[in-house]
Amino acid sequence: NGNSTAYAQILTWSAGRLRWYFNRRVFANGPLEVEDLVQDTLLVVHAKWHTFDPSRPYVPWLQAVARHKLIDALRRLHHNVSIPLDDVQD
């Protein structure tokens, strides 16, 4: 509700929670960078904050946003996979 200090605190807390979440789901030194996922998710949280219902728990909402960002990243990663035609069977 316009409290910039509280908003900064929730974003800082969320960033830590998101790092924990993504570190457990992304392979170390893999093609997906945890910090990129954290930043992308925080941007969505900022943009979609109006969809959060304060009468409901925050963490499940945050995890849903994070899960969608992870799925999007995995889709992008696998969308660029190419298979030589010689390797494809009829």
Side-chain angles (χ1 to χ4, degrees):
N1 292 332
N3 184 335
S4 60
T5 302
Y7 189 68
Q9 288 174 339
I10 194 71
L11 286 180
T12 300
W13 181 87
S14 296
R17 177 74 183 206
L18 291 168
R19 278 186 199 90
W20 176 86
Y21 177 85
F22 290 127
N23 272 319
R24 280 151 184 73
R25 287 159 180 81
V26 176
F27 294 110
N29 300 321
L32 295 177
E33 294 293 328
V34 169
E35 279 306 310
D36 290 343
L37 288 166
V38 169
Q39 293 303 314
D40 287 347
T41 305
L42 289 176
L43 286 171
V44 172
V45 166
H46 177 72
K48 300 294 182 178
W49 189 253
H50 66 279
T51 67
F52 172 66
D53 179 358
S55 68
R56 303 190 53 122
Y58 174 71
V59 172
W61 182 81
L62 177 65
Q63 287 177 323
V65 174
R67 183 174 58 249
H68 286 109
K69 291 308 295 179
L70 181 58
I71 290 168
D72 288 347
L74 290 170
R75 283 183 181 149
R76 278 192 310 275
L77 177 68
H78 293 293
H79 180 71
N80 295 326
V81 172
S82 64
I83 301 171
L85 287 177
D86 295 340
D87 293 347
V88 179
Q89 297 179 359
D90 292 283

